């Protein structure tokens, strides 16, 4: 089945200066550090016309040879979660891969499953979570949560090229992609071959990963199963635990024997939807909540941003908090339990109140500070001269009235929970999650 037909061969398009320039613009938008040759985006751009002309000549003469990628280790979120191995290609190789992506995506993407949401134009995590919510709401509350072990490192090159051949008739392009897959990895100055896997971090890798896993999507559709997939994070939804266990067994066998991938048995599980984390969220009886794991990580992040001993002023700390919280809440704000956001924001303020208390050299100083902020002397004295430590004091009425929510907002703290009303039932249901 050849799905690719066009007047100008794909390889000729790849070799055109106009297309390579579009590829460079995509690389520049994504930024990133230099590869093994040390050439930065700025250095490449300074000689852009010369570099692109050289790339064009090398591709046409088949003297182009992708360089090994530079290995980078990124810590995974969570305690003792290990590291994620990324690869940083050289800028020239990134340009070629970005150009290939721009050419191939319009051809291949329309053929992907509607249940796939990762690394696709016009699709995102919110849509994936909403789709999962709709499935659970329909009555399929048991989840087959499949975790692929080191997916990007285990992709079979022959199977991948074979799948690409269904969409691409130009064998020269397949050859270039094969060369890219086998370019090797430089780790601590030593170059290692890459007989399998795709480089996590390269412009082309997300598209190639979807090509590989689309075969799984098509199999799940053929079996009539409801599922959501975002990259290598796949959840299958069924109506009973018995059916879920059967699906787990059969699909795991298909993935390992047919796709030549490996299931992480420790992380894969069958459970009710409220016990499964999908893209940081949990589906609870048809509603979306921040998962317990993600919520606890956010609380830990607040603690990191508000250490006891720091040179930053309160205003400086608030700026750092805003940088993190704006991005975090823009995604996790999809929760249908506003109390979760209120809890995070309350924790931020309490940590800052605790620091204010700790900055006072004596209890007498703290007493004067509270009185200055309008707290009655009897209330300030009762709390300050008790046996309470700074953390306990940070939650007393005297301290909270002296430094109300409005005070922190005037200092620049930007809550996102806003004026959302939190119904007692919402709080009660969310409490069951934690």
């Amino acid at each position: 089945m050849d799905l690719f037909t066009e007047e100008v061969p794909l390889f000729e398009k790849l070799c055109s200066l106009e297309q390579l320039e579009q590829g460079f613009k995509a690389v520049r938008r994504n930024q990133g550090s230099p590869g093994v040759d040390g050439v930065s985006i700025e250095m490449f751009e300074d000689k852009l016309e010369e570099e692109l002309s050289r790339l064009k000549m090398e591709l046409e003469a088949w003297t182009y040879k992708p360089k090994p990628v530079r290995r980078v280790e990124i810590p995974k979120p969570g305690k003792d979660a290990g590291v994620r191995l990324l690869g940083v290609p050289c800028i020239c190789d990134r340009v070629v891969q970005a150009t290939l992506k721009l050419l191939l995506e319009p051809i291949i993407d329309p053929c992907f499953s509607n249940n796939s949401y990762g690394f696709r134009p016009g699709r995102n995590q919110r849509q994936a979570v909403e789709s999962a919510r709709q499935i659970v709401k329909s009555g399929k509350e048991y989840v087959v949560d499949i975790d692929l072990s080191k997916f990007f490192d285990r992709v079979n090159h022959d199977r991948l090229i074979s799948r690409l051949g269904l969409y691409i008739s130009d064998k020269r392009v397949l050859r270039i992609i094969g060369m890219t897959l086998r370019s090797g990895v430089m780790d601590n100055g030593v170059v290692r071959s890459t007989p399998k896997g795709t480089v996590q971090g390269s412009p082309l890798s997300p598209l190639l990963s979807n090509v590989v896993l689309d075969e799984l999507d098509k199999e799940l559709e053929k079996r009539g199963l409801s599922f959501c997939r975002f990259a290598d994070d796949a959840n299958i939804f069924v109506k009973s635990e018995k059916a879920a266990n059967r699906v787990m067994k059969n699909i795991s066998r298909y993935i390992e024997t047919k796709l030549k991938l490996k299931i992480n048995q420790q992380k894969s599980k069958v459970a009710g939807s409220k016990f499964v984390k999908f893209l940081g969220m949990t589906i609870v009886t048809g509603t979306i909540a921040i998962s317990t794991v993600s919520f606890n990580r956010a609380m830990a992040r607040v603690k990191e941003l508000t250490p006891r001993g720091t040179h930053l002023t309160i205003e400086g700390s608030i700026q750092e908090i805003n940088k993190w919280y704006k991005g975090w809440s823009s995604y996790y704000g999809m929760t249908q339990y506003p109390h979760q956001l209120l809890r995070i924001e309350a924790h931020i303020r309490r940590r800052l109140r605790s620091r204010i208390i700790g900055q006072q050299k004596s209890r007498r100083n703290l007493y004067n500070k509270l009185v200055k902020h309008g707290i009655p002397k009897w209330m300030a004295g009762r709390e300050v001269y008790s046996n309470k430590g700074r953390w306990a004091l940070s939650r007393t009425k005297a301290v909270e009235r002296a430094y109300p929510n409005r005070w922190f907002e005037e200092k620049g703290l930007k809550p996102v929970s806003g004026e959302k009303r939190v119904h007692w039932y919402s709080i009660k249901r969310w409490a069951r999650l934690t």
Side-chain angles (χ1 to χ4, degrees), residues 117-118 123-132 230 233 235 276-283 288-291 293-295 297-298 322-337 340-341 416 420:
Y117 294 89
R123 288 174 169 252
N124 55 45
Q125 291 168 302
R126 285 177 174 268
Q127 293 171 336
V129 173
E130 175 59 24
S131 177
F230 191 96
D233 195 349
N235 280 358
V276 176
K277 177 171 70 73
F278 181 54
L279 301 177
M281 310 303 291
T282 300
I283 311 300
I288 300 171
I290 301 171
S291 72
V293 172
S294 299
F295 185 84
R297 283 177 183 164
N322 285 338
K323 288 178 186 177
W324 164 75
Y325 191 55
K326 181 180 179 182
W328 185 89
S329 60
S330 67
Y331 174 72
Y332 287 98
M334 78 173 82
T335 179
Q336 293 174 299
Y337 295 82
Q340 292 184 293
L341 299 178
V416 298
K420 290 181 181 178

Side-chain angles (χ1 to χ4, degrees), residues 97-360:
Q97 291 183 42
T99 306
L100 280 169
K101 180 178 181 291
L102 291 172
L103 293 172
L104 297 180
E105 195 167 61
I107 301 165
I108 301 175
D109 188 82
C111 303
F112 288 153
S113 167
N114 285 331
N115 301 299
S116 166
Y117 294 89
F119 309 123
R120 298 184 61 189
R123 288 174 169 252
N124 55 45
Q125 291 168 302
R126 285 177 174 268
Q127 293 171 336
V129 173
E130 175 59 24
S131 177
R133 185 188 75 82
Q134 293 289 352
I135 296 172
V136 172
K137 194 175 180 181
S138 72
K140 298 180 179 180
E141 296 189 351
Y142 283 88
V143 183
V144 179
D145 184 15
I146 297 177
D147 186 277
L148 299 177
S149 176
K150 299 181 179 179
F151 165 72
F152 287 92
D153 297 332
R154 298 181 188 276
V155 170
N156 184 286
H157 290 173
D158 292 338
R159 285 192 61 81
L160 172 55
I161 296 297
S162 176
R163 292 292 297 180
L164 284 169
L166 299 177
Y167 309 98
I168 305 169
S169 61
D170 196 327
K171 305 298 183 184
R172 295 170 295 179
V173 171
L174 295 178
R175 182 181 171 188
I176 291 289
I177 294 173
M179 291 166 57
T180 298
L181 291 170
R182 295 186 294 272
S183 62
V185 173
M186 180 174 286
D187 193 1
N188 294 323
V190 178
V191 177
R192 294 187 292 101
S193 62
T194 48
K196 60 181 180 179
T198 65
V199 175
Q200 193 173 1
S202 72
L204 194 56
S205 185
L207 179 62
L208 296 182
S209 68
N210 274 331
V211 169
V212 173
L213 291 174
D214 186 63
E215 191 171 359
L216 172 62
D217 296 342
K218 295 296 191 291
E219 180 66 21
L220 295 176
E221 289 174 344
K222 189 172 79 172
R223 299 187 186 198
L225 294 169
S226 298
F227 69 97
C228 290
R229 182 177 66 79
F230 191 96
D232 59 337
D233 195 349
N235 280 358
I236 306 168
F237 301 86
V238 294
K239 290 186 176 181
S240 69
E241 186 176 3
K242 183 178 179 180
N245 285 318
R246 182 176 66 250
V247 169
M248 172 65 87
K249 180 180 178 181
N250 293 338
I251 296 301
S252 295
R253 185 190 303 121
Y254 174 84
I255 289 172
E256 294 193 332
T257 58
K258 187 73 181 289
L259 302 186
K260 310 299 182 185
L261 300 171
K262 189 170 179 60
I263 302 290
N264 187 327
Q265 300 295 344
Q266 284 71 38
K267 292 185 178 180
S268 298
K269 64 179 178 180
V270 166
S273 65
K274 67 179 180 180
F275 300 113
V276 176
K277 177 171 70 73
F278 181 54
L279 301 177
M281 310 303 291
T282 300
I283 311 300
V284 185
T285 60
T287 57
I288 300 171
I290 301 171
S291 72
T292 302
V293 172
S294 299
F295 185 84
N296 290 338
R297 283 177 183 164
M299 296 289 270
R301 181 60 177 149
V302 170
K303 187 175 181 180
E304 290 175 6
L305 291 169
T306 55
R308 287 194 171 192
T310 176
H311 67 283
L312 290 176
T313 62
I314 292 293
E315 292 83 357
S317 291
I318 286 175
Q319 286 182 4
E320 294 299 311
I321 292 166
N322 285 338
K323 288 178 186 177
W324 164 75
Y325 191 55
K326 181 180 179 182
W328 185 89
S329 60
S330 67
Y331 174 72
Y332 287 98
M334 78 173 82
T335 179
Q336 293 174 299
Y337 295 82
H339 184 66
Q340 292 184 293
L341 299 178
L342 292 173
R343 277 281 304 273
I344 296 290
E345 292 169 10
H347 190 57
I348 291 171
R349 290 188 294 267
R350 188 178 179 188
R351 292 282 306 178
L352 293 174
R353 289 186 186 109
S354 177
R355 182 195 294 179
I356 291 170
I357 294 169
Q359 288 173 343
Q360 311 311 310

Side-chain angles (χ1 to χ4, degrees), residues 1-20:
M1 178 179 65
D2 183 5
L3 302 177
F4 180 75
T5 55
E6 64 169 41
E7 296 179 3
V8 180
L10 195 59
F11 185 74
E12 271 65 37
K13 284 192 172 185
L14 173 64
C15 295
S16 75
L17 287 174
E18 292 79 8
Q19 289 290 344
L20 289 172

